[in-house]
């Protein structure tokens, strides 16, 4: 009986020790300290996610991680700092969709987005939603498109500002649905949402953490989500693809990058380490509080996705004839 107990205990502890050994080995191969640069001010979703990642890297691998906010020029200031840093894994960039939109939006960037970064992993994703004022006559996406086609240029949609992710979601919607809806830029998402609720604008694309409370309060109606799959928090709301806008996808996502990797081993170790922490259920709970879910793309798959997103949004900007930022 004692032998059985010892055997059972060994079987139970063995995998744990193996896991600790693997984590210890990875920690020895990674920098003992890291700096995650967030190219936006403190307090936003990107900043909060970076701090969660920093906590996980410390807890799992014993790495001391500092989150460094370098805001400015739609994320390009902080991104340039990372592009010019040594590629040893000690300096990372955690940024939002702006990173893949900026190449099409800016006439000239201080770095080459495709060539001067090595994408590590999608940290988190979150669908946006197509919403309308509570009194808007269209009850679904098909009715909205029909109304827009009946009276071209009469309807409008608001956004947080020209060239932002939600503005380009609207432009992509116009292009795929074949409708003429006028863009109304605001200085931030909050004033745009306030005007939507007040009925000054009828349509908007916005993030679920903002949309859901207003929808529950009856201040707006959600017609569709922008992801390819339905949002768990809005299971009865169709995707735009399901609603007839075939091929539409404009999910908000947050990615982790390092300077262009010169040593494949350094890059591979970092990819493996980050992929591992994203599996942590405790991290998933923290992410859920921000209305996001942990990403699943990493390494070469994420790199291919980034390149495709740059091309996609560059084409949307060009077709929409949005003036480039000089």
């Amino acid at each position: 009986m004692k032998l059985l107990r010892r055997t059972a205990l060994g079987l139970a502890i063995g995998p744990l020790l193996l896991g600790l050994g693997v984590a210890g080995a990875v920690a020895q191969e990674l920098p003992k300290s890291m700096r995650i640069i967030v190219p936006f001010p403190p307090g936003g979703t990107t900043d909060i996610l970076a701090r969660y990642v920093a906590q996980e890297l410390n807890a799992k691998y014993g790495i001391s991680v500092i989150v460094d906010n370098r805001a400015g020029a739609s994320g390009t200031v902080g991104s340039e700092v990372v592009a010019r840093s040594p590629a040893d894994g000690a300096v990372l960039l955690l940024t939002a969709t702006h990173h893949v939109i900026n190449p099409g939006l800016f006439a000239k960037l201080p770095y080459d987005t495709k060539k001067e970064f090595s994408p590590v992993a999608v940290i988190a994703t979150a669908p946006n939603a197509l919403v309308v004022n509570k009194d808007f006559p269209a009850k679904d996406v098909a009715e909205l498109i029909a109304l827009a086609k009946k009276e071209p240029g009469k309807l409008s949609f608001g956004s947080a500002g020209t060239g932002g992710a939600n503005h380009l979601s609207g432009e992509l919607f116009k292009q795929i649905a074949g409708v003429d809806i006028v863009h109304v830029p605001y200085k931030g998402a909050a004033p745009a949402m306030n005007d939507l609720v007040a009925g000054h604008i009828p349509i908007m694309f916005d993030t679920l953490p903002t949309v859901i409370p207003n929808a529950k309060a009856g201040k707006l109606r959600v017609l569709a989500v922008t992801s390819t799959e339905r949002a768990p928090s809005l299971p009865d709301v169709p995707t735009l693809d399901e609603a007839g806008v075939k091929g539409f996808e404009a999910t908000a996502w947050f990615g982790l990058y390092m300077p262009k990797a010169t040593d494949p081993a350094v890059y591979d170790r970092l990819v493996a380490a980050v992929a591992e922490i994203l599996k942590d259920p405790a991290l998933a709970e923290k992410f859920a509080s921000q209305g996001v879910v942990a990403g699943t793309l990493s390494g070469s798959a994420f790199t291919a996705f980034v390149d495709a997103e740059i091309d996609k949004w560059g084409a949307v900007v060009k077709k929409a004839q949005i003036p480039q930022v000089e």
Side-chain angles (χ1 to χ4, degrees):
M1 181 64 69
K2 289 182 179 180
L3 177 61
L4 288 174
R5 286 177 181 172
R6 283 198 295 269
T7 302
L9 183 62
L11 289 172
I13 293 177
L16 176 61
L17 292 175
L18 179 61
L20 290 173
V22 170
V26 172
Q28 290 176 356
E29 295 172 340
L30 292 171
K32 298 188 183 302
S33 62
M34 291 181 177
R35 185 161 55 116
I36 298 178
I37 290 182
V38 174
F40 306 110
T45 302
T46 312
D47 175 66
I48 293 169
L49 296 179
R51 295 179 191 281
Y52 287 155
V53 169
Q55 292 167 8
E56 285 289 318
L57 287 170
N58 179 260
K60 189 168 184 64
Y61 302 113
I63 301 169
S64 175
V65 186
I66 295 173
V67 175
D68 184 359
N69 298 89
R70 298 288 189 96
S74 191
T76 62
V77 171
S79 298
E80 184 181 10
V81 172
V82 176
R84 303 289 172 256
S85 297
D88 57 3
V91 179
L92 308 175
L93 171 71
L94 204 160
T95 188
T97 322
H98 300 68
H99 192 65
V100 294
I101 292 175
N102 286 339
L105 193 62
F106 283 76
K108 186 177 181 180
L109 289 172
Y111 48 80
D112 187 315
T113 309
K114 285 187 177 182
K115 295 180 179 179
E116 296 189 56
F117 298 91
S118 287
V120 175
V122 174
I123 296 300
T125 64
N128 290 329
L130 168 59
V131 298
V132 295
N133 173 268
K134 62 182 179 63
D135 298 321
F136 189 64
K139 297 297 186 277
D140 56 34
V141 174
E143 290 185 6
L144 167 59
I145 292 173
L147 192 60
K149 287 185 175 181
K150 183 179 179 181
E151 300 180 288
K154 183 176 180 180
L155 298 180
S156 61
F157 75 98
S159 81
T162 300
N166 290 346
H167 169 209
L168 295 189
S169 293
E171 296 294 345
L172 183 61
F173 174 76
K174 288 167 57 178
Q175 291 171 16
I176 297 178
V179 294
D180 179 10
I181 301 175
V182 179
H183 173 231
V184 181
Y186 286 79
K187 292 182 178 180
M193 178 56 70
N194 289 339
D195 267 11
L196 178 85
V197 169
H200 300 308
I201 54 172
I203 306 164
M204 186 176 174
F205 287 83
D206 203 4
T207 58
L208 293 190
T210 302
V211 164
I212 291 174
N214 282 302
K216 287 182 177 179
K219 296 178 180 179
L220 55 79
R221 287 184 288 110
V222 186
L223 299 189
V225 293
T226 62
S227 51
T228 55
E229 297 181 357
R230 294 194 179 198
S233 53
L234 293 172
D236 297 327
V237 176
T239 67
L240 274 162
D241 182 83
E242 288 177 320
V245 188
K246 295 301 180 182
F248 189 100
E249 181 183 10
T251 304
W253 54 272
F254 305 83
L256 186 70
Y257 308 78
M258 67 175 286
K260 184 62 180 179
T262 53
D263 183 347
V266 172
Y267 174 71
D268 290 344
R269 286 195 292 267
L270 185 59
V271 169
V274 174
E276 188 63 30
I277 67 170
L278 290 175
K279 298 176 184 176
D280 188 348
L283 186 64
E285 288 186 16
K286 293 177 181 178
F287 278 9
S289 69
Q290 299 300 313
V292 303
V293 296
T296 56
L297 285 179
S298 62
S300 59
F302 179 38
T303 300
F305 175 74
V306 168
D307 289 346
E309 285 282 279
I310 291 172
D311 294 341
K312 168 185 171 179
W313 292 117
V316 171
V317 168
K318 186 175 181 179
K319 188 172 182 180
Q321 297 183 330
I322 300 170
Q324 288 192 312
V325 179
E326 296 294 336

